Amino acid sequence: MTENTQQQTAPTTELPTQYAPAEVEGPLYERWVERGYFEADAKSEKPPYTIVIPPPNVTGSLHLGHAFEHTLIDALTRRKRMQGYETLWQPGMDHAGIATQNVVERELAKEGKSRHDLGREAFVERVWQWKAESGGQISGQMKRLGDGVAWSRERFTMDEGLSQAVQTIFKKLYDDELIYRAERIINWCPRCLTAISDIEVEYQDDDGELVSIRYGEGEDSLVVATTRAETMLGDTAVAVHPDDERYKHLVGKQIKLPLTDRTIPVVADTHVDPEFGTGAVKVTPAHDPNDFEIGRRHDLPNLAVMDERAVITAHGPFQGLDRLEARSAIVAALRAEGRIVAEKRPYTHSVGHCSRCKTTIEPRLSMQWWVKVGPLAKAAGDAVRDGKVTIHPQEMEKRYFDWVDNLHDWCISRQLWWGHRIPVWYGPNGEVVCVGPDEQPPAGEGWHQDTDVLDTWFSSGLWPFSTLGWPERTESLEKFYPNSVLLTGYDILFFWVARMMMFGLYAMDGTPPFHTIALHGMVRDQNGKKMSKSFGNVVNPLDWMDAYGSDAVRFTLARGANPGVDVPIGEEWVQASSKFANKIWNATRFALMNGATVQGELPDPSEMSATDRWILSRLNKTVAEVDAFYDDYQFSKLSDALYHFAWDEVFDWYVELSKTTFFAGGDGARVSGRVLGEVLDVMLRLLHPVVPFVTETLWTTLTGGESVVIADWPKDSGFRDAAAEQEIALVQRVVTEVRRFRKEQGLQDAQKVPARLELAGTALAPHEPAIRQILRLQPEGEGFSATASLPVAGATVALDLSGTIDVEAERKRLTKDLAAAEKEKAQANGKLGNEAFLAKAPDNVVEKIRTRLAKADEDIARIQAQLANLPQA
């Protein structure tokens, strides 16, 4: 039915009685790595399949978000490897400029030192030392999870090859006038002491204050409102809308700036909204991006009044105060002068914070390096519009276009010591020289290199091709670029994805870095709440792996993964997945002990029972379903399909229906044993990409094959048997109906009941032994009395319940339940028949009562049927 060309040895049926993940997983992973299963050969003639790991920070450790993303990528690559592709899952880590520098600076602080005590060269050496000793613990954790990455190809964004790539593309962009240096307003972190990009700013609602301040005197005065009163010391104008009649007499005039000895002009600018507030805004070009643009249009001076630590530098009584201390002092001084017109506290407004240290961001005028993103962003947008790159799910395209179509120039310089240093040298006479990787920097007195380093996202934007040896045209680059798919979270669509698109198209002659961008959601707690240390709901996936095994964690994450949708996860779901892994183990162990085998050809369908043909038909449908879901990145649906096929159809139905055949022995047992072996072989291969460890152990035991990692991916043979599926559906109806009746009568599952099965002339007749086995139905025997009769699926099941239940007690219980249901029905009918009630009651209340009525009707019918089926006294 399916093919598997891997060399096999004689299988063994011996499995431990219980599955112990902790004993299995580590040794299995080491064996996979030793045998080189995850390595990729650039010389191979197999078609390539390439995915890069979103490089985790060198400071990081495995969190649930990593475990989620890595599980999905690993599932994709394991399947493609089994399908015969030369598969490369590229591993590596990001140097994480700000985060790593912060870690090492904190270590130095414990020694009473700062980076300045060491100097730049010694500090960078200290960071490299930290990386060697403490960085990269996530690599070991990835192995715990089962990541099938090509470890021999592991890269680091600061290694020699990637550094050469960074310098090469910087030089190319510089020469093409797509990199420039200019003074602009940037996001400045007074704690990290560096510029950060817009996408590294996290906005949250903070409680502040809104103060309204009167500037000027008498008729030549106006009122402005601000949440940052300290910046007024740097005001160089007040702006109003040119059509605002209230202020036309002031445009062009000078007014007194409070608390200073300066006057500032009133300018007219269309940026001002006359309907918002007083229609007048203070203009601080050196401390606000919008004010900076107004200042450029009106040739206003840029007056900086804060240093890099957000301490006031303006002359006067506020000099030396922190910005928040200055804010309170300035408001108090304005209040003393009678300049405060209104105050609002608390005033909740959106405030930007550094994504790393959570310090409030300070807009600051600064000389920085920038990428002119216009042409690069256009190419990145066109690649998706033209179909070169597909975004999945498609509804995420709008977010992508909203971003790339409106990109501002990208500030790429950071005032750090750890990172790729900007390859620009300045000469004693104002010379500026950008140096490529094969060029010697200018030497001599007065020459010095730029002190800034590049934004971390600059180097990670090169990841799909720099990891393959670019700028050299290596065999790996020719074989594995572009990537087949990028699978990553929608939260870094802008951070990382857009940058890779821009750089890939630019550096690789218009070839995008990947064919498909598959976006997934964020992992949340079981209530759908964001995981956060402050909420106390952060989970260490290693704890769950220790408790339940890596397969259980992986299956839980994959089963929750709908494209682009957030994933709730709770421990009880991991427990359920652990039970699934144990179910696979126990059921396979039972099957092996009862004749399941892969030896020999699959028997002809004419030799098989309807049960055999049914499960093979369902198996091939499942293969086709799982393939379609994989190709559509529907991890949740493929996991569900596998779960229900394995647990419901194979274990709960096929194995149970076949037990009488196995126990009877003979040709029937031989045929069913081979069918069950085929089903388990294919099922374990289908499950392997998501739950690799337990399937490896079971598959090698079943088949004697070397490893399921390199086994063939199952193919749909096309075998279907609609008649067998209909026949087994009838069997399932009978079993389900009798089980329901037994439960209603309070019978235990294991309790045996005498029964007569009237199946003659139906497709159910051959299945009588299996039906009796599953339902614990004994032969009629002497003195049999049919106290209950169940017509179902064209047959009749007559049961003798005498002696199995207390009939009178059961009749009293059911009679009481019937009375309660009839009372509920009467109350519901009474309300629904009351016109006055219906006229006043909300629609949702009326609907609830109708639902209650329908439920009462169902209960009455069910209880009456149960009473009718009770044995007569």
Side-chain angles (χ1 to χ4, degrees), residues 161 215 224 598 631 681 723 851:
Y215 285 21
V224 299
V598 297
D631 291 341
D681 172 18
T851 301

Side-chain angles (χ1 to χ4, degrees), residues 42-43 88 153 155 164 464-481 508:
K43 298 180 184 297
L88 169 60
R153 292 173 172 265
R155 304 302 298 269
Q164 183 184 30
F465 51 94
S466 63
T467 51
L468 298 173
W470 186 90
E472 301 298 323
R473 301 300 297 192
T474 63
E475 284 185 319
S476 290
L477 188 65
E478 295 292 339
K479 178 74 174 179
F480 296 114
Y481 186 91
M508 299 300 294

